[in-house]
Amino acid sequence: MSDAPAAAPVEEQLQNLHLDEVTGERVSKTELKKRQKQRDKEDKKKEKAAIAGPKPAASKKTSAEEEEAHLNPNQYFEIRSRQINKLRASKEHNPYPHKFQVTTDLRQFVQEHESLKTGEHRQDVEVRVGGRIYTKRISGQKLVFYDIRAQGVKVQVMCQAQEATGDVPFPAQHEHLRRGDVIGIVGYPGRTSPKNRAEGELSIFAREIILLTPCLHQLPSEFYGFKDQEQRYRQRYLDLIMNDSSRNVFITRAKMVSYIRSFFDTRDFIEVETPMMNAIAGGATAKPFITHHNDLDMDLYMRVAPELFLKMLVVGGLERVYELGRQFRNEGIDLTHNPEFTTCEFYMAYADVYDIMDMTEELVSGLVKHVTGGYQTKFHTQTGEEYSVNWEKPWKRIDMIVALEEAVDEKFPPGEELHTEATNEFLRKVLKKMNLECTPPLTNARMLDKLVGEFIEDTCINPTFIMGHPQMMSPLAKYHRERPGLCERFEAFVCKKEIVNAYTELNDPFDQRLRFEEQARQKDQGDDEAQMIDENFCQSLEYGLPPTGGWGMGIDRLVMFLTDRYSIKEVLAFPFMKDDGTGKAEKRLAAEEVGIKPMPEEGIREYYPFSSVPNRSLVTRWPAFSSLSTSIRVRCSMRSYRTLLAKLTFSWLSMSSS
C-alpha cells in the first residue's frame, strides 16, 4: 500500500514523453522539437550542396622543384632548356655572365671559420665564392637553403629575404636556380642556431646569389647517386660531379706525377718530348696503331715506346733524360690494359741495371710514402680478394730461370741455347706437362713468357724484381756480364702485375743489329708484336752510346694500386670505350630543343663553286688571273680563297659581257 502514491508520478511522466521516430527513443516535447529543427537544417544543407555540386578538394601548394622531381630526364631537359632560353632572350638576367669575382677558396673558408660557435656570425667578413648546387631546400617564401660544392668541399648557404641585397629581388634570385647550377654567392660566414639540435652548421649567410651557369640536365638523386660503371666512364664529367671518390683518384694521380717529375728534376735529369708518330714502330715488343699522313702519302705508326729516341739523345750528350707521355698499342682491352696509356721512361749514362734497381726502390717507396703517408697499402681484386702490400725497400729479387726450374721440376737448356729450335721443342713439352696453353705463334720468347706469368708473376704480391731474362726476350738489353745467353734486365711486379721494366742498355751496334734480325725472324713467324729494324737508331749507336741504364714504368697501373682500383678505366679520365650504339637522333642538344639555328659562317652563303663558272678556260687565260689568284691564295684560307676567286671570276665575266 505504501508504494502506490510513488508510482503515480512516474506514469504521468511517461505520458508526457513523445516518440522520436528516427531514433526510436521517447523524449520530451522540447527535446523532440530541437531534434526536428536540427534535422531540417541538415536537409537544407544537403539540398544546397546537391545544387552547388561537389567541392574541389583542397590542394597543397607545391614548389616548382617538387613538380619537376616527377619528370623524366627528357622532359626535364626540354622544360629546363626552354626556361633558360627565355632568360637568354629576355636580356634582363643573363644566365651566362662573363665574370664573377671569386675571392674565397671554399677549403680555406672551412678551415678559417670552423671555430665559429652556434649562432655566431662574422658580418664584417665578405665571402665571395663560386660553387655547384647539390641540394635546394625552400622553407617558405623568405628562406632558402643550398648545399654547394667546390674544390671537393661541401658548404651550406643560408638565404634570408631580410639579408638580400643587389638589384635583383629575393624571389627572382632563387626562382630559376636548380640542382646542378653553378652559382656565385656574396655573403658572410656564420654558424646557424637550429631549434632541433644543439650545434649549428657552418654556413655562408648570403646577401646575393647570382646564376653563373645553369645545368640543363637532371642530376641523379643524392640517394641513388651515379653508380652505373659504363655511364661513369662515358660521362666522366657527371661522375666527377656526383662522386668524390672519382675526384680523389685523379687528384692522387696528379700528386704522383708531380712527385715523379720532382724526383728526376732534383737529380739533374732533363724532361724531353719525342715524336708520337714514327715511320717505324720501335722501342718495345708490341703491335702498333697505323695512321696516314695525307700530304706525304705515307703510313706512320703511333709510338709504342719512346725508348729509341731517348737513347739517341743520350748519344747526343744529354746524359740524363726522362719523358712522361702517352703510348699507343693496338692490343687487347682488359682490366689492366687500355689502347693508350701513360708511361715514364728515363735513361742515365754511366749507370747499369743494379743502379737502376736501387733508384726504383727509392723512387717508388718514396712515392708511396708521399701519397699515402706510409708504406702499407691494401688492394682489392675484381673477385674481392684482398692484398696487403708492403712497399718499403729492399724488395725481393727472383732469378727467372732458376725459379722456373723449381716450378716445373725440369732442367732448362743453357742460356746461350735458349733461342734454338731444340729449346722450342723443350718448351712445348714443358707446356704440355704443366697443362698450359700458349697463344700462337709458339716462339721461344712467348712460351717462356707464359711460364713466367703462370709460375712466378702470380707469386709477386709485395714489390718483387724478376731478373735474368734470356737475350731473345730483350732485344734492346745488354748481355749479362757473367751468364751467357741472358741479359741484364729486371721487371718489377706488384699484386701479380708488372709496373717497371729496366735494363743495362745495349750499346754495341754489332750486337744490336743481330738482335733486331732475331726480332725480324720472329715477325716472319707471325709475331705481330716483334720489333722492326730501325736503321737510324742502329746508326746512332755507331757514334757511341755511353754505358747507360734505362727504365720504364706504367703510371696507370701504379695509380690503380695506390687508389685501390682494379680497373684501369677508373684511373683514366677518359678511357677508350666502344661505340654504345646510340644515334644522334636520341641525343638532342639544347640548341636543337629550343629551335636555335646555327649562324652562317662568313662567305658561305655567297660561295660560288668555280666548277659552275661558264667559259672557265677563257677566265684562266685572263693575264691578271694567275698572279692575282696566287696573291689571294697566299693571304687567306682555302675556303675564303675559293669564295674571293669565284667573285672575281663573275665580276670579270660581267664586265666582259657588258
Side-chain angles (χ1 to χ4, degrees), residues 2 38 50 57 93 231 235 237 291 365 439 477 581 655:
S2 61
Q38 184 64 31
H93 307 294
Q231 290 306 312
Q235 296 177 280
Y237 45 88
T291 186
S365 295
T439 55
M655 289 187 294

Side-chain angles (χ1 to χ4, degrees), residues 40-314:
D40 289 342
K41 279 183 181 180
E42 289 175 359
D43 290 341
K44 286 179 181 178
K45 278 184 182 179
K46 287 178 182 177
E47 288 177 12
K48 285 182 180 179
I51 295 169
K55 258 189 182 181
S59 59
K60 184 181 176 182
K61 189 175 181 181
T62 58
S63 65
E65 289 82 358
E66 290 173 326
E67 292 176 356
E68 291 168 355
H70 300 292
L71 300 174
N72 65 43
N74 290 335
Q75 291 171 330
Y76 182 92
F77 174 64
E78 181 179 344
I79 292 171
R80 182 72 167 146
S81 297
R82 296 187 185 282
Q83 288 173 347
I84 298 304
N85 193 44
K86 283 182 182 178
L87 281 182
R88 293 174 66 249
S90 69
K91 305 296 183 184
E92 295 177 5
H93 307 294
N94 181 12
Y96 298 97
H98 291 73
K99 172 74 175 174
F100 175 77
Q101 188 66 40
V102 173
T103 59
T104 309
D105 186 298
L106 215 55
R107 294 165 295 186
Q108 294 177 351
F109 171 85
V110 172
Q111 291 176 359
E112 292 173 4
H113 305 292
E114 188 63 39
S115 60
L116 285 172
K117 297 178 181 178
T118 298
E120 186 180 355
H121 305 120
R122 293 175 181 168
Q123 297 190 13
D124 57 328
V125 178
E126 183 181 77
V127 174
R128 296 179 66 91
V129 300
R132 188 181 294 275
I133 298 173
Y134 276 73
T135 59
K136 178 181 180 181
R137 305 182 299 279
I138 300 175
S139 301
Q141 296 182 349
K142 297 185 178 181
L143 181 60
V144 182
F145 291 93
Y146 297 99
D147 287 335
I148 67 162
R149 291 187 191 178
Q151 291 99 26
V153 176
K154 185 180 85 168
V155 170
Q156 177 177 266
V157 179
M158 184 175 180
C159 309
Q160 303 171 89
Q162 65 267 28
E163 296 277 3
T165 60
D167 300 330
V168 183
F170 182 81
Q173 287 185 24
H174 302 278
E175 65 174 325
H176 296 298
L177 301 185
R178 298 292 185 271
R179 290 184 67 232
D181 289 354
V182 179
I183 59 174
I185 303 113
V186 182
Y188 59 88
R191 192 176 287 275
T192 60
S193 53
K195 297 178 181 178
N196 57 351
R197 63 179 188 272
E199 188 178 359
E201 186 172 350
L202 178 63
S203 305
I204 300 172
F205 288 77
R207 292 191 173 108
E208 186 177 9
I209 300 285
I210 302 167
L211 175 61
L212 302 180
T213 307
C215 176
L216 303 182
H217 289 273
Q218 194 176 45
L219 289 187
S221 70
E222 283 197 307
F223 180 79
Y224 292 105
F226 188 49
K227 305 297 182 187
D228 185 285
Q229 205 171 57
E230 180 88 0
Q231 290 306 312
R232 286 199 305 106
Y233 301 151
R234 294 186 185 279
Q235 296 177 280
R236 183 65 83 187
Y237 45 88
L238 186 55
D239 179 33
L240 292 171
I241 289 173
M242 297 302 300
N243 299 311
D244 282 340
S245 59
S246 296
R247 172 190 175 86
N248 293 335
V249 166
F250 296 113
I251 291 175
T252 300
R253 183 187 179 107
K255 288 179 180 177
M256 292 171 62
V257 171
S258 177
Y259 181 91
I260 292 168
R261 277 200 167 98
S262 175
F263 180 89
F264 289 118
D265 291 343
T266 55
R267 288 162 176 76
D268 293 330
F269 280 81
I270 299 171
E271 184 174 9
V272 297
E273 294 176 330
T274 58
M276 288 282 189
M277 297 183 296
N278 309 305
I280 293 174
T285 303
K287 187 175 181 179
F289 283 97
I290 302 174
T291 186
H292 187 78
H293 194 295
N294 291 334
D295 198 35
L296 298 178
D297 191 24
M298 64 181 293
D299 286 340
L300 296 171
Y301 298 97
M302 302 298 291
R303 76 174 181 190
V304 294
E307 177 171 343
L308 304 186
F309 289 105
L310 293 174
K311 285 195 279 194
M312 286 191 276
L313 292 176
V314 177

Side-chain angles (χ1 to χ4, degrees), residues 310-324:
L310 293 174
K311 285 195 279 194
M312 286 191 276
L313 292 176
V314 177
V315 171
L318 299 179
E319 295 176 352
R320 296 187 177 195
V321 294
Y322 77 96
E323 180 173 12
L324 270 160

Side-chain angles (χ1 to χ4, degrees), residues 6 18 139 208 288 430 570 623 657:
H18 299 271
S139 301
E208 186 177 9
V430 170
E570 293 283 359
S657 59

